[in-house]
Amino acid sequence: MTHILIIGGTGNIGSPLVQNLANNPDVSLTVGVHQLSKAQSHFANWPNLNLVHFDFLDPKTFPDAFSGVEKIFFIRPPQLAKPKQDMAPFIDYAQQQHIKQIVFVSLLGVEKNPMTPHHQIENMIQQHDIPYTFIRPSFFMQNLSSTHQYDIQVNHDLFIPAGHAKTSFIDTRDIADIAAVCLTDAQYVNQKLDITGPAALTYDEIATIMTQILNTPITYSRPSLLKFRHVMRKRGMPKDFVNVMVMLYLITQLGNAKTVNDTVQRVLNREPRDIQTFISDYREDFLSPQ
């Protein structure tokens, strides 16, 4: 039986990944979470999970989380944008524990963008000679139902500085399914997997699709990068988080997010979920709160 540590088990990728692997008789799971009470209610139907408190910034939480673990899955928390400070102790500890594989959710096109935290984390893992799998997805569809939810619910607008560029959005549930395969199939060790959704779309097209499915007019206002940064900071978002977002949307404007490939189909033997399915499945998250 393989013992896997999943960090961030209540997130958009971690949650479906836990549910996928919890049904695998050849896997035992430790789920590292920041808020234990939230996780206990979130996974109330999975009583056999080993839930532990975990904090990248608190090495005292590492021993319990790593106990008996052979493989690790993690995604960078958005608020942690300085890997040499906030990720290095974790990766050092993983090396000391002789972890057999780290599966890290990185970023499509990361090899061309050395300034991104994802690029730095990939390098750190490789420099530590830890067996890895880097999953490099395009933009998450779920960004629309989380980061950009407020503007959609309240202003019925996609307040996103992407210009007219296309993006090959991917559903995080597909990323989770890919991660489950990578953690249980040795052929994906030391592999870098670029993954995308089935089509590249502009935010104008997304707004049109949302308008049709939600039966509510949704616009796309195309703010400048500076205006977007100013508004997000005014709303109280952390500076480092906003700066990374601006960097990623600049990359999008340059046309680097439009790639479409068939990796999901090859790994999962099925087509990736499309944007229409995502919007329909998450419909309630986009409607104005009552």
Side-chain angles (χ1 to χ4, degrees):
M1 180 174 288
T2 302
H3 192 162
I4 299 172
L5 168 63
I6 296 175
I7 299 172
T10 58
N12 284 329
I13 301 175
S15 182
L17 175 59
V18 168
Q19 295 181 37
N20 184 314
L21 291 177
N23 294 315
N24 189 326
D26 298 321
V27 167
S28 61
L29 294 179
T30 292
V31 182
V33 295
H34 206 260
Q35 297 180 330
L36 270 176
S37 58
K38 175 183 175 182
Q40 287 165 348
S41 60
H42 187 84
F43 292 116
N45 295 327
W46 306 92
N48 295 326
L49 294 179
N50 177 33
L51 298 176
V52 299
H53 173 58
F54 181 87
D55 186 343
F56 283 104
L57 302 181
D58 184 3
K60 293 192 298 291
T61 66
F62 295 175
D64 283 347
F66 275 77
S67 180
V69 165
E70 300 165 78
K71 299 184 177 184
I72 299 171
F73 167 87
F74 81 101
I75 182 170
R76 179 188 67 87
Q79 69 273 20
L80 301 185
K82 298 176 180 177
K84 291 182 180 179
Q85 298 176 29
D86 50 46
M87 287 290 166
F90 162 72
I91 294 172
D92 287 342
Y93 194 85
Q95 181 192 45
Q96 295 165 15
Q97 301 304 305
H98 305 292
I99 293 300
K100 295 180 179 178
Q101 181 189 18
I102 284 182
V103 175
F104 169 56
V105 178
S106 186
L107 177 71
L108 187 69
V110 70
E111 69 279 4
K112 304 173 186 175
N113 298 290
M115 297 303 294
T116 61
H118 312 78
H119 182 102
Q120 298 170 48
I121 293 169
E122 284 195 10
N123 281 350
M124 290 166 62
I125 292 171
Q126 290 179 289
Q127 288 166 3
H128 281 69
D129 290 324
I130 303 172
Y132 65 85
T133 305
F134 298 146
I135 300 174
R136 296 170 167 176
S138 54
F139 275 68
F140 303 166
M141 294 179 186
Q142 277 76 2
N143 287 346
L144 297 171
S145 57
S146 56
T147 305
H148 302 295
Q149 182 185 45
Y150 173 85
D151 287 296
I152 296 171
Q153 284 186 338
V154 176
N155 302 321
H156 307 298
D157 179 59
L158 299 178
F159 185 75
I160 298 169
H164 294 288
K166 291 189 173 185
T167 302
S168 53
F169 301 91
I170 187 165
D171 195 308
T172 58
R173 293 171 294 182
D174 289 335
I175 303 173
D177 289 345
I178 292 278
V181 173
C182 292
L183 286 161
T184 55
D185 188 335
Q187 72 171 299
Y188 296 105
V189 175
N190 293 330
Q191 298 294 310
K192 302 168 184 177
L193 300 180
D194 293 348
I195 60 174
T196 75
L201 303 168
T202 66
Y203 282 95
D204 284 305
E205 291 172 315
I206 297 294
T208 298
I209 295 168
M210 295 188 82
T211 296
Q212 295 168 346
I213 294 176
L214 303 179
N215 198 29
T216 299
I218 304 294
T219 58
Y220 171 42
S221 57
R222 294 193 304 278
S224 69
L225 291 167
L226 288 177
K227 181 177 181 180
F228 175 80
R229 186 183 186 281
H230 174 75
V231 170
M232 294 300 111
R233 289 289 292 127
K234 192 174 181 179
R235 290 180 184 174
M237 286 191 178
K239 181 177 68 174
D240 288 340
F241 177 37
V242 174
N243 287 345
V244 170
M245 290 176 65
V246 168
M247 185 190 314
L248 296 179
Y249 282 121
L250 173 60
I251 292 168
T252 299
Q253 288 187 14
L254 296 174
N256 294 338
K258 64 184 179 182
T259 300
V260 176
N261 64 35
D262 65 349
T263 305
V264 172
Q265 184 178 24
R266 288 190 288 106
V267 175
L268 301 180
N269 295 313
R270 65 164 175 79
E271 291 292 329
R273 294 172 174 89
D274 59 24
I275 194 70
Q276 290 84 354
T277 298
F278 162 74
I279 294 170
S280 296
D281 288 351
Y282 286 77
R283 188 176 191 277
E284 296 302 315
D285 291 337
F286 297 119
L287 299 178
S288 299
Q290 299 300 317

